[in-house]
Amino acid sequence: MTDTLGWRLEGALFEDGSRLTDWTRIHESGNWMWQYDTHELSFEIYEHDGQFWKLYRVRFAREDGSGYATGFGGQACRMALVRYRRNARSPHSSLLMQEGDEEWVRTYEVNEEIHEVVRAGREDPKYGAPWGPKRAA
């Protein structure tokens, strides 16, 4: 069982043989967050193989000031969309979330005491249960 998919060819092909062009983008953050002193990150959520996957987008300002160079950062992580049952600190972003707020979190970060699962992948022997650290397919 896995919660991640790495790149075989960054931006094009994953280690499971699927192509990014075959995945369906269902959410684009649109917010760029400054990281370290070098680049910004944003993210997109894709549907693939009955699961929801987060892909980080990265952008760097070009040295000559002509614009941004963009690409992908890291691997794809399996995600679930949750709604907060009460005010709580997010196990994913560490932000203070208000009751009713929604956020995409990694499947193993779902905590049913504070989260109501709004959207998650299907149970599958390849990936395991749709969410939760102690669930097995």
Side-chain angles (χ1 to χ4, degrees), residues 2 4-9 12-20 22-23 47-51 53 76 126-127:
T2 184
T4 61
L5 275 177
W7 292 104
R8 188 176 296 163
L9 179 60
L13 184 67
F14 290 93
E15 62 190 4
D16 71 347
S18 64
R19 296 189 170 282
L20 181 59
D22 298 329
W23 290 28
E47 190 169 0
H48 164 68
D49 203 15
Q51 307 297 314
W53 301 91
K126 190 176 359 177
Y127 302 110

Side-chain angles (χ1 to χ4, degrees), residues 75-130:
Q75 60 196 0
C77 298
R78 204 163 63 101
M79 306 297 282
L81 180 62
V82 298
R83 181 177 299 118
Y84 282 80
R85 298 179 187 274
R86 60 178 170 79
N87 295 0
R89 181 177 185 259
S90 165
H92 182 71
S93 65
S94 297
L95 296 173
L96 179 59
M97 305 302 284
Q98 304 298 312
E99 181 181 348
D101 285 351
E102 292 184 358
E103 180 182 39
W104 286 96
V105 301
R106 291 177 185 90
T107 55
Y108 57 82
E109 295 171 324
V110 173
N111 176 343
E112 293 179 86
E113 290 180 26
I114 62 170
H115 296 136
E116 170 192 347
V117 176
V118 175
R119 200 165 184 193
R122 69 172 185 259
E123 189 161 335
D124 185 300
K126 190 176 359 177
Y127 302 110

